[in-house]
Structures are given as structure tokens and as C-alpha cells.
Amino acid sequence: MSHSHGDLSRRLTLTAADGYALGATLFPAEQPLGKILVGSATGVPRGFYRRFAEYAAARGYTTLTLDYRGVGESRPATLKGFEMDYLDWARLDLAAALEHLHQPELPTFMVGHSFGGHAFGLLPNHQHVSGLYTFGTGAGWHGWMPVAERLKVLTMWRIIGPLVTRSKGYLAWSKLGMGEDLPLGVYRQWKRWCRYPRYFFEDPSMPGLEEQFAQITTPIIALNATDDLWASPASRDAFMSAYRQADYQGLTLIPAEAGLPPIGHMGYFRPSAQPLWQNALNWFDQLGQSRQAA
């Protein structure tokens, strides 16, 4: 891809409805066919999606990436004592990014990674989105994972997590080489929801989510690799079934059969996965054309 596109990217500061300032980057397309909002995975800084965003911009899609509150450039000086709800990332942060990006004359699409596929159903302004293509979205329950991974995850939730959060006041994941640190609220809710086969839909303290997801009629594709230990196809189906009015398709990828290297939970956005990006953008092209025809 031409590298000149990378130089066109612009750093932005977005403001969520509650006044929180968020770091974001806009990758403008020269003659845009549409726009794409990237819904990141939990605790993943936006720079991880840069190559995808550059690729999409070169293909005619102005693309926006952002850091959720508590992550990357949207992180406060210290996470200790930082109060937030996990779902703020959708209801406030992605909602603000979508508001900023959307223009009625062009279709806006969303590309999700893991949590990004959960977030779509929580957006107050989801009707701005003409199609969601999400990678590696699942229900988080350890029972959907292979045995070895299940044991690792349970050790994290039951032993490591409580010890680390007690001493630090947040989940200091970076110290464990696991990724970015997570605010305490995110850690606590995530741990709770992962106890349920259908994730937060089964949390008795959060009624009404099922009804909210059931109202969505947007076309959705959810792709999961068979070697994604955190979000297997079965885990995906358990979660995505909540989008029950949507024009929904679940795709299962066997990386070796597709001529791709191992994907796991993070490989969907590595440069070697470019064929997957191409498929997503081709689908957006089709949706955009049928929108014009209508």
C-alpha cells in the first residue's frame, strides 16, 4: 500500500458526552466511498489497528481509531482510583467517535475486534452504522475454551487478578506481559461476565441488554478463526445470537485452509491477515452500492 496515506493521518481529541477526552486518529481517504469506525478489543491501544486503517483509507474508506478511556492516550495519570464502567467504552467513547465520523451523505461502517462486536449493540446511535464486520467476538466464558486455555484463564481470574488488583488498585496486566493495564471497574465486570455462558446477557444486575440487542436490524458478519482460543465459533454463536433481528452471518475461518498463518485472538489485524480485510471491505462496497441503488 502507498505509505503516503500514513502521513495523512490526523491525531484528534474527541470529547465523550460526559466530558471525558479521548485520543483518536483519523485516516482520511482521498475520494471516500464511506467511513469506518474501528471498535477495538479490550485494553488494546489504537496503534494496533493502524495498518488496517491505512489499508482501508487507501481503499476509499476514511477510518477512525480511538483509545477507550483508561487505555493508551486516553489513560489518566494513574489508573488507581479511576472510576469507570466497562460499557462506557461503547455507550460514551465509541458513541462519541461515531457521532464525529458520521455524515448522512456517506455510509458509515464499523469494524469490530472482540469487545467491538459487543459494543455495537450498546451504541445509543447504532442506526448511523450501515454494516458491522467483527473479528474474534465471543462470549468470554471459560467453558467455550480448550482445557489448557481454560485453566490459564481461571488462574488469572481467581488467583493472579485478585492479588494484582489488591496491591495496585487496578489490573496491572503490563507487569505480567499480558497487554495493557485495565481499570478496576473493567476487570471486575469482565471477570463477572466471564462466569456466564452468554456473557453479560446473563448478569442479573444488568437487565434489558437482551432487548436492546434485539432491536438491531443492521447487517452483521462475525468472523472467528478456529485457532482463536478466546473466541471460538461456539463462543461467538453464544454471544451473537442476541442480535436476533439483524441480517447476521457467522463465518468460521480455518487459517491453514485459507493459506494464512495462525490467527489466534489477535492475528486478525496483523499485516499477514490482509486478505481478511479485503473481504470485509468488499462486503462494505456491496452494502454501499445497494444503499445507493435504494
Side-chain angles (χ1 to χ4, degrees):
M1 296 319 319
S2 71
H3 286 286
S4 60
H5 267 277
D7 312 334
L8 295 176
S9 68
R10 291 204 301 275
R11 241 206 106 261
L12 307 170
T13 302
L14 304 174
T15 308
D18 64 345
Y20 198 93
L22 303 160
T25 305
L26 187 72
F27 298 82
E30 279 166 30
Q31 279 159 346
L33 304 166
K35 301 187 161 194
I36 294 174
L37 173 62
V38 177
S40 317
T42 298
V44 178
R46 72 185 193 273
F48 183 69
Y49 303 99
R50 178 179 191 96
R51 290 191 190 89
F52 167 76
E54 287 174 350
Y55 179 84
R59 268 277 308 258
Y61 290 92
T62 291
T63 302
L64 184 69
T65 59
L66 80 151
D67 284 332
Y68 302 140
R69 62 189 62 203
V71 178
E73 275 195 326
S74 305
R75 182 182 165 146
T78 174
L79 285 180
K80 194 174 181 155
F82 177 61
E83 295 283 322
M84 65 159 283
D85 187 299
Y86 196 165
L87 303 186
D88 289 346
W89 287 352
R91 292 171 174 161
L92 292 166
D93 303 354
L94 277 165
L98 180 55
E99 215 46 60
H100 175 85
L101 190 63
H102 179 68
Q103 286 171 308
E105 60 275 13
L106 283 173
T108 303
F109 301 106
M110 186 162 151
V111 166
H113 182 204
S114 195
F115 173 76
H118 301 160
F120 181 65
L122 301 160
L123 290 175
N125 49 355
H126 64 79
Q127 68 285 351
H128 288 338
V129 178
S130 300
L132 164 70
Y133 200 112
T134 190
F135 296 94
T137 294
W141 181 50
H142 55 82
W144 299 121
M145 300 176 183
V147 176
E149 193 65 17
R150 183 182 311 174
L151 293 174
K152 266 193 339 208
V153 165
L154 288 175
T155 304
M156 179 187 76
W157 289 139
R158 292 176 184 172
I159 300 162
I160 300 169
L163 285 173
V164 173
T165 50
R166 213 167 296 147
S167 71
K168 293 273 187 190
Y170 59 93
L171 185 60
W173 246 7
S174 58
K175 304 277 182 293
L176 308 169
M178 296 276 287
E180 292 272 303
D181 297 336
L182 292 179
L184 191 59
V186 172
Y187 160 73
R188 286 191 171 144
Q189 286 169 293
W190 197 11
K191 178 181 176 178
R192 188 168 78 235
W193 297 335
C194 285
R195 299 203 318 243
Y196 304 111
R198 292 197 57 240
Y199 204 57
F200 53 41
F201 297 115
E202 292 184 76
D203 182 345
S205 71
M206 301 189 61
L209 288 180
E210 195 91 51
E211 288 69 43
Q212 210 178 327
F213 276 67
Q215 282 164 23
I216 286 175
T217 56
T218 309
I220 299 174
I221 290 181
L223 180 137
N224 293 58
T226 49
D227 67 344
D228 183 339
L229 304 181
W230 277 59
S232 65
S235 171
R236 169 198 64 211
D237 295 342
F239 186 90
M240 298 299 288
S241 61
Y243 290 106
R244 58 175 183 268
Q245 303 277 351
D247 172 8
Y248 167 72
Q249 210 183 340
L251 300 180
T252 298
L253 173 79
I254 303 171
E257 281 185 13
L260 293 170
I263 295 283
H265 193 55
M266 301 301 286
Y268 305 99
F269 290 91
R270 296 207 173 99
S272 53
Q274 198 167 299
L276 303 180
W277 309 347
Q278 204 172 338
N279 293 343
L281 296 177
N282 290 344
W283 185 60
F284 293 155
D285 289 346
Q286 285 168 6
L287 290 176
Q289 282 154 11
S290 58
R291 181 178 180 260
Q292 276 177 328

